[in-house]
């Protein structure tokens, strides 16, 4: 990960606590076969420990946390949602006005159909020749053609507007989501974010593509048709308005009940997805500890919760339709009665009364569409509020913990000063306590300690992934190239981005030349295998492409570190995924990648610690020892015990 100038680019995702004891893999002993056997045994033991931790965590969550108790990502208020939509629409006012004007024209042209049909009825009742019907019939065809063309143009303009605004909202959502603090995402759970990215985006997109154009068209048709009824005779319009109270009450009744149902449904879907991700992602642990029945019950319960909310929505919608039909019946009956009375009194013709009845009948579709679209609007509105809730978050800024206090002495460029640092993932349960640590420019410092000592947490705080609960992290960095990169984080879980290998490398430095790419690969001993790929640096790697080995993927991450060229590097067990041979290769590549940089290394293998400039030993969230390898071994403290357990009485010397 690189951090600087208020931006963060995640290269990998890591767990929030350390899971592995220092591993002897990578020690250079005469008996390589015995080394490999030891590696395999200890890696299996570490994996088992990690699985047990995960299982205990899952059981604790299940036993203690009620359903939906996660701290979900924010949801925008209706007022803020509307404000953000207006903000997104503002740059496209011309397109909005053009689409509206064209749709008004299309609807107005369409309203000529009913008077033409009424005129034809009058011609028939007056027993005019058949030839008299020719001209109005031609006009009907022209009206249909003109309405079709203008409607298509208007809908395309509105769709273009909707898609443009949706694209901006997506970009803003992704930008803000990438900038959210990691602890906030962990508390919310990946299911909440996944539901917003998938289900919520799909609902809003569908509303933009179909519901929004149809809603605009329906509202215009309703307003202009009522105006046309008034033009025929104001009494026709009054008769038609008898249906309005019923329809308005129905809409209000529906909205008041539907909003909460759809909001609950989206939350329930997120909880359901989170449970599915937890169960599938930890399938091996679930099977190992015979937790299948419990997880199946959780998935079933949360799935049924989502189903029950969906069925509540269906029942509500059925009642909604039945009330709408009652309003239509009353309105149409009133218009027909008024037409009958006006024709009998000679105030209007049969053709005009027919046109009025046709006008009201033509309102069935737009009124029903508009009211039914309230259903889609409620669902899309709930999803939009969830998207805006994330998209409206402030742009990620450099945390206050890394700011240089005014008036304080400025440390040398490349220095890291940690003062009084404390951190808690949950209030009242600190995992780091009053950490004071200084990394001198160009110094390599190794963090060692037992599982759960807090090494990874401290590394993430220095890298800017987490914000400290107490204390501060001060970075003093010279940036002559103006790259804005301060700290780079490389972890054991490296992501290979889908696409050409060269593009993957250029994520760290977009302006890098081919020679720069080759040079970075050379420094990490990866150029040979990279050039041997089917298309060299143009070979597609990652998902759907050429699969890289764990060692190759880590070399790729180290090459990105070299291209990014930050003054400070944090390596969190960056060689842990490789076996003995791969680890030796990666350790050499790591040495070259961090050459000339201030480096903090969470050591998976004690050979890395032994060759560091300084070793910091952590236990229970505190620093308990600090010094060189020889000094700490002679002191007979925690590090000496770790080294003795690691070496297992073998005469091993660091290289």
């Amino acid at each position: 990960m690189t951090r600087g100038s208020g931006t963060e680019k995640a290269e990998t995702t890591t767990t929030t606590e350390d899971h592995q004891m220092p591993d002897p893999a990578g020690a250079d002993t005469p008996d390589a076969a015995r080394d490999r056997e030891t590696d395999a045994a200890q890696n299996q033991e570490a994996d088992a420990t990690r699985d047990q931790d995960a299982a205990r965590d899952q059981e604790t969550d299940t036993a203690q946390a009620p359903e939906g108790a996660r701290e979900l990502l924010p949801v925008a208020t209706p007022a803020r949602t509307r404000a953000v939509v207006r903000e997104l629409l503002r740059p496209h006012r011309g397109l909005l006005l053009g689409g509206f004007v064209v749709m008004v024209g299309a609807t107005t042209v369409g309203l000529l159909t009913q008077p033409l049909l009424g005129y034809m009825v009058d011609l028939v009742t007056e027993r005019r020749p058949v030839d008299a019907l020719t001209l109005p019939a031609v006009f009907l065809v022209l009206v249909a053609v003109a309405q079709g063309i203008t409607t298509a143009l208007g809908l395309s303009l509105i769709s273009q507007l909707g898609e443009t605004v949706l694209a901006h909202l997506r970009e803003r959502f992704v930008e803000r989501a990438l900038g959210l603090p990691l602890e906030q995402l962990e508390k919310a759970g990946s299911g909440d974010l996944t539901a917003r990215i998938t289900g919520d985006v799909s609902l809003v997109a569908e509303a933009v593509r179909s519901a929004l154009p149809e809603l605009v068209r329906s509202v215009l048709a309703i307003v202009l048709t009522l105006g046309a009824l008034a033009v025929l005779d104001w009494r026709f319009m009054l008769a038609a308005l008898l249906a309005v109270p019923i329809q308005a009450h129905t809409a209000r009744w529906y909205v008041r009940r539907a909003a909460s149902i759809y909001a609950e449904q989206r939350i329930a879907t997120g909880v359901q997805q989170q449970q599915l991700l937890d169960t599938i992602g930890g399938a091996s642990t679930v099977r190992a500890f015979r937790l299948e029945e419990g997880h199946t019950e959780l998935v079933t319960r949360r799935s049924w919760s989502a189903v029950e909310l969906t069925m509540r929505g269906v029942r509500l919608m059925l009642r909604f339709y039945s009330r709408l039909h009652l309003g239509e019946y009353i309105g149409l009956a009133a218009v027909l009665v008024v037409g009958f009375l006006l024709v009998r009194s000679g105030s209007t013709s049969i053709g005009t009364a027919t046109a009025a009845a046709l006008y009201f009948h033509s309102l069935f579709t737009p009124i029903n569409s508009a009211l039914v679209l309230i259903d889609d609007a409620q669902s899309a509105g709930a999803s939009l509020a969830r998207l805006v809730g994330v998209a409206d978050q402030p742009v990620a800024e450099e945390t206050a913990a890394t700011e240089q206090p005014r008036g304080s002495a400025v440390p040398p460029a490349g220095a890291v000063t940690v003062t009084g640092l404390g951190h808690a993932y949950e209030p009242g349960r600190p995992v780091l306590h009053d950490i004071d640590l200084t990394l001198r420019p160009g110094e390599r410092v190794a963090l060692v300690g037992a599982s759960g000592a807090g090494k990874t947490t401290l590394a993430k705080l220095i890298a800017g992934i987490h914000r400290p609960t107490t204390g501060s992290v001060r970075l003093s960095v010279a940036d002559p190239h103006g790259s804005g990169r301060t700290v780079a984080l490389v972890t054991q879980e490296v992501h290979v981005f889908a696409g050409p290998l060269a593009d993957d490398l250029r994520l760290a430095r977009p302006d890098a030349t081919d020679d720069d790419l080759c040079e970075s690969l050379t420094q990490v001993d990866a150029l040979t295998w990279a050039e041997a790929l089917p298309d060299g640096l143009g070979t597609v790697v990652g998902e759907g492409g050429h699969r890289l080995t764990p060692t190759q993927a880590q070399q790729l991450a180290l090459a990105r570190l070299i291209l990014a060229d930050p003054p400070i590097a944090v390596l969190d067990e960056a060689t842990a995924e490789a076996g003995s041979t791969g680890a030796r290769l990666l350790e050499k590549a790591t040495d070259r990648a961090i050459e000339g940089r201030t480096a903090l290394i969470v050591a998976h293998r004690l050979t890395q610690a032994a060759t560091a400039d300084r070793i910091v030993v952590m236990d229970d969230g505190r620093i308990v020892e600090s010094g060189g390898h020889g000094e700490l071994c002679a002191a007979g403290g925690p590090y000496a015990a770790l080294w003795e357990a690691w070496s297992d009485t073998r005469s091993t010397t660091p290289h």
Side-chain angles (χ1 to χ4, degrees):
M1 168 169 182
T2 58
R3 178 168 64 93
S5 298
T7 61
E8 297 186 18
K9 298 181 181 178
E11 178 177 78
T12 63
T13 55
T14 60
T15 56
T16 58
E17 280 300 319
D18 306 289
H19 294 296
Q20 300 187 36
M21 292 285 290
D23 193 296
D28 192 7
T29 65
D31 191 352
R34 186 176 65 180
D35 273 0
R36 286 191 293 270
E37 293 173 357
T38 304
D39 288 344
Q42 294 194 357
N43 283 334
Q44 289 175 359
E45 181 179 355
D47 290 341
T49 301
R50 187 162 54 246
D51 288 345
Q52 290 171 0
D53 290 343
R56 283 195 296 270
D57 290 344
Q58 179 64 48
E59 291 174 338
T60 300
D61 290 342
T62 302
Q64 297 179 358
E67 291 184 20
R70 291 181 177 270
E71 297 181 20
L72 299 181
L73 295 173
V75 177
T77 63
R80 184 55 195 162
T81 302
R82 291 191 294 270
V84 170
V85 171
R86 288 194 297 269
E87 179 184 335
L88 292 170
L89 285 172
R90 193 171 296 119
H92 310 286
R93 285 173 292 188
L95 185 59
L96 175 62
L97 180 61
F100 179 77
V101 169
V102 174
M103 286 302 298
V104 169
T107 306
T108 303
V109 170
L111 292 177
L112 296 175
T113 301
Q114 288 83 355
L116 286 172
L117 291 174
Y119 177 66
M120 295 175 72
V121 169
D122 283 339
L123 291 177
V124 172
T125 57
E126 294 173 5
R127 300 183 181 278
R128 296 287 185 88
V130 176
D131 293 343
L133 299 176
T134 303
L135 185 59
V138 171
F139 278 121
L140 282 175
V141 174
L142 293 177
V143 166
V145 172
Q147 184 185 20
I149 294 175
T150 52
T151 299
L153 177 59
L155 290 178
S156 66
L157 291 175
I158 293 175
S159 297
Q160 181 182 350
L161 174 66
E163 291 291 350
T164 302
V165 171
L166 179 61
H168 289 318
L169 177 62
R170 280 173 170 164
E171 292 170 1
R172 185 165 165 177
F173 177 87
V174 171
E175 178 187 1
R176 301 300 197 271
L178 291 175
L180 288 175
L182 184 59
E183 60 264 31
Q184 185 178 6
L185 292 176
E186 290 174 341
K187 289 178 182 178
S190 55
D192 186 28
L193 185 60
T194 301
R196 299 187 192 219
I197 294 174
T198 55
D200 290 328
V201 169
S202 297
L203 278 173
V204 175
E206 182 63 25
V208 166
R209 290 171 185 143
S210 58
L212 176 62
E214 185 61 31
L215 180 61
V216 171
R217 182 181 178 183
S218 298
V219 170
L220 287 175
I222 293 169
V223 173
L224 295 178
T225 300
L226 289 175
L229 279 171
V231 170
L232 292 179
D233 192 298
W234 60 271
R235 287 165 288 194
F236 285 127
M237 187 184 72
L238 289 181
L241 291 178
L242 289 177
V244 172
I246 298 175
Q247 292 167 335
H249 179 269
T250 300
R252 184 180 177 188
W253 170 85
Y254 179 76
V255 168
R256 291 174 59 185
R257 288 161 176 76
S260 59
I261 290 178
Y262 284 115
E264 291 176 27
Q265 185 180 355
R266 298 311 305 153
I267 292 174
T269 301
V271 173
Q272 177 193 24
Q273 290 194 13
Q274 179 64 50
Q275 185 59 54
L276 288 171
L277 290 170
D278 290 344
T279 300
I280 295 172
S284 58
T285 302
V286 171
R287 288 194 296 268
F289 290 90
R290 301 294 187 267
L291 301 175
E292 296 94 334
E293 184 175 348
H295 275 260
T296 301
E297 182 181 350
L298 283 172
V299 171
T300 301
R301 186 164 69 247
R302 291 174 180 176
S303 296
W304 271 112
S305 177
V307 170
E308 288 172 1
L309 285 169
T310 301
M311 293 308 300
R312 282 176 56 190
V314 170
R315 288 192 293 270
L316 184 67
M317 192 160 48
L318 290 175
R319 295 170 64 189
F320 172 68
Y321 278 124
S322 65
R323 296 188 181 197
L324 286 184
H325 293 328
L326 176 62
E328 292 172 356
Y329 171 78
I330 291 175
L332 182 58
V335 170
L336 290 174
V337 169
V338 168
F340 171 77
L341 295 175
L342 291 176
V343 170
R344 189 175 68 172
S345 66
S347 300
T348 190
S349 68
I350 295 177
T352 302
T354 301
L358 290 174
Y359 268 138
F360 187 82
H361 190 274
S362 70
L363 283 174
F364 286 6
T365 299
I367 288 177
N368 287 345
S369 295
L371 294 178
V372 168
L373 286 174
I374 294 176
D375 179 68
D376 293 337
Q378 291 301 309
S379 181
S383 296
L384 182 61
R386 285 161 54 84
L387 294 179
V388 172
V390 175
D392 205 30
Q393 294 298 295
V395 178
E397 296 180 356
E398 199 75 17
T399 63
T402 62
E403 293 179 356
Q404 178 66 39
R406 293 183 179 180
S408 61
V410 179
V416 178
T417 304
V418 178
T419 306
L421 191 67
H423 189 67
Y425 292 105
E426 297 292 339
R429 300 174 61 184
V431 295
L432 292 181
H433 311 269
D434 198 27
I435 300 290
D436 292 320
L437 177 65
T438 299
L439 277 66
R440 295 182 292 274
E443 184 182 24
R444 299 186 185 186
V445 175
L447 280 180
V448 300
S451 175
K455 304 185 298 295
T456 291
T457 299
L458 177 56
K460 287 182 177 180
L461 287 168
I462 291 176
I465 300 297
H466 293 316
R467 297 182 180 182
T469 304
T470 60
S472 64
V473 178
R474 294 166 52 194
L475 310 176
S476 179
V477 181
D479 189 14
H481 303 294
S483 64
R485 295 186 175 93
T486 302
V487 182
L489 172 66
V490 181
T491 72
Q492 61 178 315
E493 299 172 1
V494 178
H495 181 71
V496 178
F497 295 90
L501 179 62
D503 290 350
D504 198 309
L505 288 167
R506 286 195 174 94
L507 289 171
R509 200 171 88 204
D511 61 347
T513 65
D514 289 344
D515 290 340
D516 294 332
L517 304 185
C518 292
E519 176 61 25
S520 67
L521 291 171
T522 299
Q523 291 188 51
V524 297
D525 293 325
L527 184 61
T528 301
W529 65 256
E531 290 182 334
L533 294 175
D535 297 315
L537 296 184
T539 302
V540 175
V541 295
E543 189 68 27
H546 184 87
R547 293 282 182 170
L548 300 183
T549 67
T551 300
Q552 290 172 338
Q554 198 64 257
Q555 286 175 299
L556 185 60
L558 292 172
R560 286 199 294 256
L561 170 62
I562 293 172
L563 288 168
D565 196 23
I568 301 171
V570 176
L571 283 76
D572 184 8
E573 299 187 355
T575 64
E577 294 297 318
S580 296
T581 303
R584 295 188 186 97
L585 177 64
L586 288 179
E587 285 177 7
K588 293 178 181 178
T590 299
D591 288 340
R592 297 192 189 103
I594 63 176
E595 186 175 353
R597 313 181 202 281
T598 305
L600 180 69
I601 304 170
V602 178
H604 175 74
R605 294 175 171 82
L606 289 189
T607 48
Q608 291 178 294
T611 57
D613 298 326
R614 183 157 50 103
I615 301 169
V616 173
V617 184
M618 296 189 66
D619 183 42
D620 193 27
R622 294 177 172 84
I623 293 178
V624 295
E625 273 189 318
S626 179
H629 172 74
E631 175 188 353
L632 295 181
C633 284
Y639 178 77
L642 287 173
W643 179 261
E644 183 178 357
W646 179 88
S647 58
D648 195 24
T649 70
R650 293 176 294 177
S651 57
T652 304
T653 57
H655 297 281

